[in-house]
């Protein structure tokens, strides 16, 4: 049992990666749509590129959304409106009319009164023939209307046959004019305004229920295709009825067939493809980015970003697939490039796009667009910490999106007449969303403990608290660090290494000397050397300690691990030769290993560059009467000794790159010492 636990502990990093791999695969498959993919790609009004297609099973031809909408519109237009008819209102109005008429007109009018009464009654009969509306509902005049008295249907008419509440005025004036009684118009109008009451009110519940019943009767299909029926032949244009049949088959294929009978097989197949994709990423890291592969935090960070992009895209597709290009997918290569390198960023981006091909519509077009944009992102964004560079790059990415989409649209449609400008707006939104990469990088640094070029830029400021302290306590070391930083940055630029990283590493590599600054020659301003009173071994111990002291100070000040690596490795396992020879004068059997730094040796181009520049800059102070020949021999001698001592065996740096660094150091030292040609006297 103990051996088993010990074995598990030794392999805990590998076990974690396996669990991370399985977990990420599970989550991505969970997000994917659980349906089969129609294996044929086709576009409207384009030739059918595959073999002759026969119906694999019986299926119904689906109506297009336009056809269904047209049918719905027709039903809504022709549907009847139900009104409640309150018959007791009419009786009340007639009774009230008799009272008000007798109170208004005097009996002295004789036969005229009888005639006027008949006119008023005639007007009431006309406006209450079908009923008086409570309000104007703005229905079309030919809208069918059904009148209900309680639950019973009493009449069917049209909306134009229903009277508005003020309709009596025109009818009354017309009747009075025909009977030559216009002088009584004002009296009648005044009386009718108080008299007329509406007796029709729309019944929204019954009207809506009746409409829903009719809408439910709409069939979503029109006709069937029997199994083994030839749907389309190779080379035939996909248009009209054939296009509708193919869309129906695609819909049937992706819903009923797969979700009902082969769900498990679909999930297993998705899992295999996703697992294969993520395995390729792990193999890439293991072969080409060993340091990243061994760091579980970094591997988790990469998997998390891939999962985040899949999550965002699937959510957008489920909401509305036309907004799929709003997802700022180019944030992925930007973030990975900021924390790692361009090659890893592009590789992860391409794999993510391949995964999203299962989710998005028009997958080929989508993948071409996103891979192209990812390549442009990697090629254009060189210094992410410079805001102008980011804005320019985002503009270029957006332009690539627009141009590529335009080309695809013309290929599909054959013209630009129906060009969808809304898509261009989505690409602009995508570009604006990509600008969020700056705060996102800051968040990632805090969550995962990583460091980007943006943070390195902040650390390179010589006004930071730690560098201020170094300049006050050890001014000579501070000046030395500045010189090394300039040499290292120039060397890194020459061979394509991370210049910002190596500059920051150079600025902080000797901060451990703050503990005992006077024990280092660059800080000895009085001419007194405290090493004169110490043994060679004691002096060597103090010199060695500045590395461990530097690591301790760096950790207290929360410097990133990538910067601390420069403190650990800037001397590698080299020897403090002066004190070794001093001790050897006393004891010839002195062990050379006692005068070597504990290491480790440099394990990257950047740390190797710092070792070379640090040694050359420090030793250059001892040059007397420097000349070009002396400087050349001096640089060659120091770096060749480091190579012979095996200091660069763990660093991925080539002989050609080392020669380029030598050339830069020679030129820089020549400028520092202001070498001039000798003029004749």
């Amino acid at each position: 049992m103990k051996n088993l636990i010990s074995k598990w502990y030794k392999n805990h990093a590998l076990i974690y990666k396996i669990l991370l791999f399985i977990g990420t695969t599970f989550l991505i498959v969970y997000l994917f749509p659980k349906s089969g993919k129609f294996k044929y790609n086709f576009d409207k009004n384009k030739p059918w590129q595959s073999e002759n297609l026969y119906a694999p099973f019986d299926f119904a031809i689906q109506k297009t959304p336009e056809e269904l909408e047209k049918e719905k519109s027709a039903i809504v237009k022709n549907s009847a409106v139900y009104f409640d008819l309150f018959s007791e209102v009419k009786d009340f109005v007639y009774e009230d009319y008799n009272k008000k008429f007798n109170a208004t007109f005097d009996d002295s009018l004789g036969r005229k009164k009888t005639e006027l009464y008949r006119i008023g009654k005639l007007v009431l009969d006309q406006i209450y023939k079908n009923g008086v509306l409570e309000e104007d509902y703005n229905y079309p005049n030919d809208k069918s209307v059904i009148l209900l008295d309680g639950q019973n249907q009493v009449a069917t008419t049209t909306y134009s046959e229903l009277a508005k509440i003020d309709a009596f005025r025109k009818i009354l004036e017309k009747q009075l004019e025909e009977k030559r009684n216009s002088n009584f118009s004002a009296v009648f109008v005044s009386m009718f305004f108080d008299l007329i009451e509406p007796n029709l009110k729309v019944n929204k519940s019954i009207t809506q229920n009746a409409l829903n019943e009719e809408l439910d009767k709409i069939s979503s299909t029109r006709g069937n295709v029997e199994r083994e029926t030839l749907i389309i032949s190779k080379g035939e244009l996909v248009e009209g009825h054939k296009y509708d049949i193919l869309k129906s088959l695609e819909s049937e294929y992706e819903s009923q067939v797969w979700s009902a009978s082969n769900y498990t097989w679909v999930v297993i197949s998705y899992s295999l493809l996703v697992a294969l994709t993520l395995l390729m990423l792990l193999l890439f890291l293991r072969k080409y980015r060993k340091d990243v592969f061994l760091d579980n935090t970094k591997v988790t960070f990469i998997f998390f970003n891939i999962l985040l992009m899949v999550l965002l895209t699937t959510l957008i597709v489920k909401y509305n697939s036309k907004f799929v290009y709003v997802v700022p997918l180019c944030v992925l290569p930007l973030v990975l490039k900021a924390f790692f390198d361009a090659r890893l960023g592009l590789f992860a981006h391409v794999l993510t796009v391949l995964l999203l091909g299962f989710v998005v519509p028009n997958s080929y077009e989508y993948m071409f667009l996103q891979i192209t944009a990812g390549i442009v992102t990697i090629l254009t964004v060189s210094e992410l910490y410079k805001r102008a560079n980011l804005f320019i790059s985002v503009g270029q990415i957006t332009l690539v999106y627009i141009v590529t989409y335009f080309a695809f649209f013309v290929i599909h449609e054959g013209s630009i007449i129906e060009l969808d400008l809304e898509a261009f707006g989505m690409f602009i939104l995508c570009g604006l969303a990509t600008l969020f990469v700056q705060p996102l990088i800051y968040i990632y640094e805090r969550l995962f403990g990583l460091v980007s070029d943006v943070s390195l830029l902040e650390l390179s400021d010589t006004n930071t608290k730690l560098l201020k302290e170094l300049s006050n306590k050890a001014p000579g070391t501070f000046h030395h660090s500045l010189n090394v930083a300039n040499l290292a940055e120039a060397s890194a630029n020459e061979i394509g290494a991370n210049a910002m990283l190596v500059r920051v590493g150079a600025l902080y590599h000797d901060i451990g000397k703050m503990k005992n600054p006077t024990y280092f020659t660059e800080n000895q301003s009085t001419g007194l050397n405290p090493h004169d009173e110490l043994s060679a071994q004691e002096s060597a111990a103090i010199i060695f300690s500045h590395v461990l002291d530097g690591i301790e100070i760096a950790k207290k000040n929360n410097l990133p691990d990538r910067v601390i690596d420069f403190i650990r490795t800037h001397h590698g396992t080299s020897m403090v030769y002066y004190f070794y020879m001093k001790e050897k004068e006393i004891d010839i059997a002195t062990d050379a290993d006692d005068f070597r730094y504990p290491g480790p040796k440099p394990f990257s181009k950047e740390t190797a560059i710092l070792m070379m520049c640090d040694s050359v800059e420090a030793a250059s102070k001892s040059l007397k009467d420097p000349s070009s020949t002396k400087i050349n021999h001096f640089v060659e001698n120091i770096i060749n000794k480091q190579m012979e001592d095996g200091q660069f065996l763990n660093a991925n740096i080539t002989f050609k790159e080392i020669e380029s660094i030598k050339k830069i150091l020679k030129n820089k030292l020549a400028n520092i010492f202001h070498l001039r040609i000798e003029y004749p006297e």
Side-chain angles (χ1 to χ4, degrees), residues 471-485:
S471 67
N472 291 330
K473 291 184 176 179
T477 299
F478 179 71
H479 185 260
H480 159 71
S481 298
L482 287 176
N483 290 337
V484 173

Side-chain angles (χ1 to χ4, degrees), residues 352-394:
T352 306
V353 172
L354 290 176
L355 289 174
L356 292 176
F358 295 114
V359 180
V360 298
N362 300 320
S363 55
Y364 175 77
E365 178 183 324
Y366 177 85
M367 289 191 290
F368 189 95
L369 268 167
Q370 296 294 3
I371 290 175
T372 305
I375 293 171
V376 171
T377 302
I378 292 297
L379 294 177
T380 57
V381 183
S382 54
E383 295 170 316
L384 192 59
Y385 55 85
K386 293 183 179 179
R387 288 172 295 179
N389 283 3
L390 180 61
F391 277 97
I392 292 169
S393 297
V394 166

Side-chain angles (χ1 to χ4, degrees), residues 572-624:
T573 57
S574 60
M575 182 185 292
V576 186
Y577 194 72
Y578 175 81
F579 292 111
Y580 169 66
M581 294 305 296
K582 186 178 177 181
E583 180 67 18
K584 202 169 183 181
E585 290 174 2
I586 302 170
D587 182 6
I588 198 169
T590 299
D591 188 354
D593 290 339
D594 293 340
F595 289 85
R596 286 188 178 274
Y597 282 93
K601 296 177 181 179
F603 47 77
S604 67
K605 286 182 183 180
E606 288 78 14
T607 50
I609 290 170
L610 178 61
M611 172 179 269
M612 293 183 231
C613 296
D614 181 42
S615 301
V616 168
E617 202 284 331
S620 67
K621 298 295 190 291
S622 62
L623 273 176
K624 296 178 181 178

Side-chain angles (χ1 to χ4, degrees), residues 521-547:
T521 55
E522 66 266 27
N523 299 311
Q524 295 168 359
S525 56
T526 60
L528 297 175
N529 189 344
H531 287 289
D532 293 340
E533 300 177 3
L534 301 175
S535 68
Q537 289 184 341
E538 289 174 328
S539 295
I542 292 173
I543 299 298
F544 294 153
S545 68
H546 87 275
V547 174

Side-chain angles (χ1 to χ4, degrees), residues 315-369:
L315 288 176
I316 291 294
V317 169
K318 287 178 181 178
Y319 172 70
N320 192 335
S321 61
K322 76 175 186 176
F323 296 120
V324 69
Y325 287 112
V326 175
V327 180
L329 202 63
C330 288
V331 165
L332 179 62
L334 277 175
V335 166
L336 295 183
K337 184 180 179 182
F339 288 112
F340 306 111
D341 59 83
R343 189 175 177 187
L344 174 55
L346 182 59
F347 191 83
H349 176 73
V350 171
L351 292 182
T352 306
V353 172
L354 290 176
L355 289 174
L356 292 176
F358 295 114
V359 180
V360 298
N362 300 320
S363 55
Y364 175 77
E365 178 183 324
Y366 177 85
M367 289 191 290
F368 189 95
L369 268 167

Side-chain angles (χ1 to χ4, degrees), residues 14 30 100 115 126 128 133 142 154 161 278 289 349 367 377 403 416 464 476 478 494 503 556 581 583 601 626 657:
L14 180 60
Y30 176 78
K100 288 186 177 180
E115 185 179 345
Q126 286 191 38
Y128 278 102
L133 292 169
D142 60 348
V154 295
E161 295 297 318
L278 295 179
R289 298 292 180 270
H349 176 73
M367 289 191 290
T377 302
V403 171
I416 60 171
T464 59
F478 179 71
E494 180 68 18
R503 179 176 182 82
K556 281 184 180 178
M581 294 305 296
E583 180 67 18
K601 296 177 181 179
E657 289 170 338

Side-chain angles (χ1 to χ4, degrees), residues 429-642:
L429 285 175
C430 177
L432 294 174
T434 305
L435 294 173
F436 184 69
V437 70
Q438 286 279 23
L440 186 64
I441 286 172
Y442 177 80
I443 293 168
Y444 280 154
E445 286 178 334
R446 295 296 174 268
L447 287 177
F448 292 91
L450 301 172
V451 60
S452 68
D453 286 351
V454 180
S455 292
L456 291 175
L457 179 65
E458 295 173 359
L459 290 171
S460 68
D461 184 4
T462 54
N463 289 314
T464 59
K465 179 184 175 182
L466 194 55
L467 291 180
K468 277 276 189 182
E469 188 180 356
L470 178 65
S471 67
N472 291 330
K473 291 184 176 179
T477 299
F478 179 71
H479 185 260
H480 159 71
S481 298
L482 287 176
N483 290 337
V484 173
N486 292 330
L487 293 174
E489 185 177 17
S491 301
N493 283 325
E494 180 68 18
I495 67 170
N498 190 331
M500 180 59 68
L501 177 61
V502 76
R503 179 176 182 82
V504 173
L507 288 173
Y508 291 90
H509 79 284
D510 269 344
I511 56 174
K513 291 181 179 179
M514 285 193 293
K515 260 197 172 179
N516 299 298
T518 56
Y519 283 88
F520 300 91
T521 55
E522 66 266 27
N523 299 311
Q524 295 168 359
S525 56
T526 60
L528 297 175
N529 189 344
H531 287 289
D532 293 340
E533 300 177 3
L534 301 175
S535 68
Q537 289 184 341
E538 289 174 328
S539 295
I542 292 173
I543 299 298
F544 294 153
S545 68
H546 87 275
V547 174
L548 295 176
D549 292 339
I551 294 171
E552 184 181 346
I553 293 169
K555 287 184 176 179
K556 281 184 180 178
N557 286 270
N558 297 318
L559 288 185
D561 288 339
R562 289 175 78 186
V563 176
I564 295 175
D565 287 340
F566 287 91
I567 301 173
R568 294 167 55 221
T569 62
H570 74 278
H571 285 296
T573 57
S574 60
M575 182 185 292
V576 186
Y577 194 72
Y578 175 81
F579 292 111
Y580 169 66
M581 294 305 296
K582 186 178 177 181
E583 180 67 18
K584 202 169 183 181
E585 290 174 2
I586 302 170
D587 182 6
I588 198 169
T590 299
D591 188 354
D593 290 339
D594 293 340
F595 289 85
R596 286 188 178 274
Y597 282 93
K601 296 177 181 179
F603 47 77
S604 67
K605 286 182 183 180
E606 288 78 14
T607 50
I609 290 170
L610 178 61
M611 172 179 269
M612 293 183 231
C613 296
D614 181 42
S615 301
V616 168
E617 202 284 331
S620 67
K621 298 295 190 291
S622 62
L623 273 176
K624 296 178 181 178
D625 301 323
S627 64
S628 295
T629 305
K630 278 187 178 181
I631 288 174
N632 290 349
H633 177 72
F634 166 77
V635 171
E636 290 283 347
N637 188 41
I638 288 178
I639 295 179
N640 286 343
K641 278 186 178 179
Q642 289 176 335

